[in-house]
Amino acid sequence: MVTAHLQDMPAAATTSSPSRRDWRGDAMRRRVARRYARERRFRMLGLAAVIVATGFLAFLMVMIVGTGAKGFQRAEVPVDISYDAARLGIDPDSAVDLDAEIVRADTLGLVAETARTQLGSAGIVSEGAWLAVRDRLRENPALLGQTERLWLVAAPGIDLLAKGNVDFSTSPDRRPVSQDITESYRRLLAEDRVRLAFNTGFLGNANSTSAEQAGIWGAFVGSILTMLVTLGISFPLGVMTAVYLEEYAP
Amino acid sequence: MSSGVVALVLVALTLIAFASTRARAVAMAGQGSKGRFAQTHSRPVYHGVRAGLFALVPAGLLLAAWVVFGDSIVADRTLAQLPVAAQPAEGLARQTFLNELRAVAGGRLAAAFDDDVAAAVPIYLETQAAWQWLATALIAGLALIGGGYAWLGTRLGLRARTHVERFATVVLALASLIAILTTFGIVLSLFYESLAFFGRVDLLEFLFGTQWSPQTAIRADQVGSSGAFGAVPLFWGTIFIGAIIAMIVAVPLGLMSAIYLTQYARPGARRVVKPLLEILAGVPTVVYGYFAALTVAPAVREFAISIGIDSASSESALAAGAVMGIMIIPFVSSMADDALSAVPGAMRDGSLAMGATPSETISRVLIPAALPGIVGGILLAVSRAIGETMIVVMAAGQAANLTANPFESVTTVTAQIVQLLTGDQEFDSAKTLSAFALGLVLFVVTLILNIYALAVVKRYREAYD
């Protein structure tokens, strides 16, 4: 039956004029080569799409980590603070509540004076730096009367310069740091009196109007609490709904 | 007695009911010929649990009602006992009075500012104590009655297990209802506020008008407050950024990635690359917005200026759309991957056996076969892109603009909703209410897209099963 069928097939059913297709001729070879070339191009296109997509991811990560990593550092300057009881107005022997006395003392003035004499200007340390000095004294009142070297958080201008975030190609009045601060920074750098240290305040402090004192702790705790409430509501409800729909619902 | 203590008492009573009923059931079982519990319908623990539920549920509901409404009942009763002259007026005065009263009574405030409040504090404390004892007595009483009823009703033939199982079914069904009811609640609130809006602004003008300038005048002669509420520029902005530009980025990349990963990649490479693509979906959208606003937008603007378009904005549709497209790639890729994998292997093998190259197999056999799934995936991605807020708020503009130039700034429905609801207009002005109308339109559109996409995908799956 099959052979009869083949004999009855009209000549028009074959597409080339010879009764058998020429599989080795030039025309066919060219067609096959074109098809394989198209195949290779398609495959390359697929690979290119994967590479571009993962490339976006890599670019995003690199950009974020690169720009953000500097947030984990902060500029610090050394000062020799002498906890002079007379200057602070505290009498350690007759004080009733030493802690309250320390809180009321003029630590701000002491730090400003020390910065002015040792570094050249009170504007080189951060405006919140005196709090660190006060807390240190509160933890350890025995420091009264002694001198120690502390690395205090530097002012925002010094921080920008130390991290290289200032564009010096613009004109001086359009830069974010003043000429004085720039000179002070260069002098301190030459005397090796400024360093970039790990920013412990970033994770521990809450919001602040002084950028160098700001941290994410408040926001982080808020995120955790929100997540706990969300989990507490969605997890039981979701699991119970799934169990009902899977096991019980008709 | 605070609510916490009452709750503990309730738990204790429940446990007592459970233990005693279980013991009673054990005692009743006696010595059967086939073993101790042969003659009971349910094992003793089910009797115990049933009794515990009888004790816990009614009393628990009363406790919940007390926690929710108790404070306002006490406040009402206190105010009713005050002399008429001392009672505050309705509304804000009453609220302030009660706030101060609660603060003084709770010890947070040392002394009251208002003399009437100071006089009311002892009455409040007395009323509160009385009602709390009453509530405690009722709750404990209900628990005892419920537990006692169940304890007394313990019989050999009691179908305790059936009762307990039915209770569990009801609880699970209620849990699934809560999700549905919450959705209904959201839609209803959107509807209600939108009706208030459409009372002030014509529906057709909203849906088909082309001027969006929602500033309504406070004074009659205020300049620049036309109050035009035609939302077509917003709809166009949403479609332009979300359905056109984002899809131009996401569909080729996502589809070709899926094709490459399913057809050409080695299994080891696929195992590594597929999770990497999923990470793109896991990046917080606020990070994408920040990336779009600070890195992509300036680059797009400089590119536009360099090819001669001077009016390029630094908040261009192209920047926001491109970053949104990057975010959407995993959605398209994932659905296309599933669709392609679900095509029967026989079709692929047959095509290859006939001499087709893999690319011809993919483009002429697999894609047409997987097309419903792929289209469904794209529709789901579009609905996600339309509803995306953070990227457009940070990277796209704020002024409604009906333009086809991707370098200009357009705004979307979601960005406008944020702007309208975080402003300081009064709540029932047409401007703020228009946010609800926009939200309703957004909800309806994404709902239709989702339903259609899921129906398409489901029908496709059935064809091969």
Side-chain angles (χ1 to χ4, degrees):
Chain A
M1 288 282 98
V2 176
T3 36
H5 182 67
L6 274 176
Q7 277 168 353
D8 294 341
M9 205 191 302
T14 54
T15 50
S16 57
S17 32
S19 55
R20 287 177 50 200
R21 186 179 282 266
D22 181 10
W23 296 103
R24 297 203 196 288
D26 272 345
M28 187 56 78
R29 244 191 269 266
R30 267 201 306 276
R31 256 201 292 269
V32 170
R34 252 208 313 274
R35 283 172 62 214
Y36 281 160
R38 205 168 347 158
E39 156 70 19
R40 266 196 305 277
R41 274 197 301 271
F42 190 78
R43 192 189 162 116
M44 284 300 118
L45 214 62
L47 185 59
V50 170
I51 289 178
V52 166
T54 44
F56 279 141
L57 180 64
F59 179 60
L60 186 68
M61 292 289 133
V62 163
M63 208 214 67
I64 288 182
V65 170
T67 324
K70 287 200 201 138
F72 282 98
Q73 291 177 317
R74 67 181 176 194
E76 292 179 346
V77 284
V79 265
D80 295 313
I81 302 266
S82 65
Y83 298 98
D84 187 1
R87 168 72 181 80
L88 287 170
I90 305 174
D91 190 358
D93 300 317
S94 72
V96 170
D97 184 358
L98 190 58
D99 196 59
E101 296 264 326
I102 294 175
V103 170
R104 270 203 299 270
D106 183 23
T107 327
L108 174 60
L110 175 68
V111 170
E113 242 174 59
T114 318
R116 205 174 304 122
T117 39
Q118 293 182 17
L119 297 169
S121 146
I124 291 184
V125 292
S126 155
E127 17 174 51
W130 65 276
L131 284 165
V133 174
R134 185 190 75 176
D135 290 339
R136 185 125 175 80
L137 192 55
R138 283 177 83 184
E139 276 168 31
N140 196 359
L143 281 170
L144 268 176
Q146 298 176 18
T147 306
E148 68 170 350
R149 167 168 270 223
L150 285 180
W151 285 87
L152 296 179
V153 182
I158 305 277
D159 197 84
L160 278 175
L161 288 161
K163 290 178 186 170
N165 284 343
V166 177
D167 185 6
F168 281 106
S169 62
T170 55
S171 65
D173 50 335
R174 300 191 63 173
R175 289 184 212 146
V177 290
S178 66
Q179 202 58 20
D180 299 328
I181 296 276
T182 316
E183 313 262 297
S184 306
Y185 171 71
R186 293 214 174 104
R187 179 174 44 85
L188 286 172
L189 191 61
E191 295 167 3
D192 207 17
R193 283 205 286 169
V194 64
R195 73 175 187 190
L196 273 179
F198 182 71
N199 189 354
T200 50
F202 181 69
L203 294 172
N205 296 346
N207 295 352
S208 169
T209 46
S210 318
E212 70 280 6
Q213 299 281 356
I216 60 167
W217 180 241
F220 187 69
V221 171
S223 290
I224 299 279
L225 288 175
T226 311
M227 277 202 303
L228 281 177
V229 172
T230 308
L231 204 61
I233 296 178
S234 65
F235 182 72
L237 275 184
V239 171
M240 289 205 282
T241 308
V243 168
Y244 176 74
L245 289 175
E246 191 60 39
E247 300 285 334
Y248 288 90
Chain B
M1 268 205 169
S2 72
S3 312
V5 176
V6 176
L8 281 175
V9 166
L10 184 57
V11 168
L13 285 174
T14 311
L15 288 174
I16 293 174
F18 167 76
S20 56
T21 314
R22 189 173 71 152
R24 189 173 161 158
V26 167
M28 275 189 174
Q31 302 289 330
S33 55
K34 297 195 194 92
R36 282 200 69 154
F37 307 127
Q39 289 167 333
T40 53
H41 173 265
S42 319
R43 289 180 42 227
V45 69
Y46 285 107
H47 289 271
V49 171
R50 177 176 172 270
L53 287 174
F54 263 86
L56 181 64
V57 173
L61 286 174
L62 186 60
L63 177 62
W66 169 246
V67 165
V68 172
F69 296 115
D71 208 28
S72 50
I73 296 178
V74 170
D76 272 342
R77 295 277 93 228
T78 310
L79 288 180
Q81 289 177 57
L82 292 176
V84 182
Q87 287 185 7
E90 277 299 308
L92 198 57
R94 186 167 185 276
Q95 201 55 45
T96 324
F97 189 90
L98 286 174
N99 281 348
E100 214 185 329
L101 185 60
R102 288 194 188 113
V104 176
R108 288 191 302 278
L109 209 54
F113 293 116
D114 190 355
D115 286 331
D116 290 333
V117 173
V121 168
I123 306 178
Y124 178 77
L125 288 171
E126 214 183 288
T127 323
Q128 193 183 43
W131 276 88
Q132 264 180 341
W133 277 110
L134 182 62
T136 312
L138 276 177
I139 290 169
L142 260 185
L144 281 171
I145 292 174
Y149 169 74
W151 188 83
L152 286 173
T154 315
R155 300 187 310 281
L156 284 181
L158 180 67
R159 297 174 131 62
R161 192 172 104 164
T162 317
H163 295 167
V164 169
E165 288 289 314
R166 207 180 308 146
F167 179 77
T169 312
V170 166
V171 164
L172 293 177
L174 275 178
S176 41
L177 265 186
I178 286 179
I180 302 174
L181 287 177
T182 313
T183 315
F184 269 125
I186 295 175
V187 175
L188 271 177
S189 80
L190 270 183
F191 222 69
Y192 181 65
E193 301 287 351
S194 302
L195 280 178
F197 174 71
F198 290 125
R200 295 170 199 234
V201 171
D202 182 33
L203 175 67
L204 290 181
E205 184 206 328
F206 177 74
L207 286 179
F208 298 111
T210 59
Q211 277 285 3
W212 178 262
S213 170
Q215 287 292 347
T216 41
I218 302 175
R219 296 189 321 273
D221 58 342
Q222 195 170 22
V223 174
S225 312
S226 52
F229 287 98
V232 166
L234 303 181
F235 297 149
W236 167 248
T238 306
I239 292 175
F240 191 39
I241 292 183
I244 297 182
I245 298 181
M247 286 303 126
I248 288 177
V249 172
V251 168
L253 284 175
L255 196 52
M256 289 307 293
S257 303
I259 289 173
Y260 186 82
L261 286 176
T262 48
Q263 306 297 325
Y264 291 109
R266 288 195 308 276
R270 184 185 143 93
R271 254 204 312 274
V272 166
V273 173
K274 201 156 183 297
L276 277 182
L277 283 183
E278 304 294 329
I279 290 179
L280 272 178
V283 176
T285 49
V286 68
V287 171
Y288 274 122
Y290 161 97
F291 173 64
L294 293 185
T295 306
V296 180
V300 164
R301 182 160 182 274
E302 297 204 2
F303 170 70
I305 291 181
S306 73
I307 63 173
I309 303 177
D310 288 323
S311 67
S313 159
S314 64
E315 289 181 322
S316 53
L318 186 57
V323 173
M324 204 189 291
I326 297 174
M327 185 191 76
I328 300 275
I329 289 174
F331 292 90
V332 175
S333 165
S334 215
M335 292 291 293
D337 200 299
D338 288 341
L340 284 170
S341 308
V343 175
M347 295 178 75
R348 178 168 182 258
D349 297 340
S351 168
L352 290 173
M354 295 291 285
T357 62
S359 65
E360 286 163 359
T361 309
I362 293 170
S363 52
R364 291 178 205 219
V365 176
L366 292 183
I367 298 280
L371 199 60
I374 294 175
V375 166
I378 293 178
L379 285 178
L380 281 175
V382 167
S383 95
R384 173 93 174 79
I386 286 179
E388 179 52 46
T389 309
M390 214 53 221
I391 298 180
V392 281
V393 162
M394 295 178 94
Q398 298 294 333
N401 201 359
L402 201 55
T403 170
N405 180 1
F407 295 106
E408 283 185 42
S409 97
V410 296
T411 193
T412 61
V413 172
T414 45
Q416 275 300 306
I417 293 177
V418 169
Q419 202 187 10
L420 290 170
L421 286 178
T422 54
D424 49 1
Q425 277 270 15
E426 60 184 25
F427 197 72
D428 56 351
S429 71
K431 181 179 174 189
T432 322
L433 287 177
S434 62
F436 288 96
L438 287 174
L440 188 63
V441 171
L442 198 62
F443 178 78
V444 166
V445 168
T446 45
L447 186 68
I448 293 176
L449 271 178
N450 281 352
I451 291 179
Y452 184 64
L454 288 173
V456 161
V457 171
K458 186 159 169 273
R459 198 179 51 209
Y460 157 77
R461 282 221 184 96
E462 283 173 349
Y464 281 115
D465 283 342

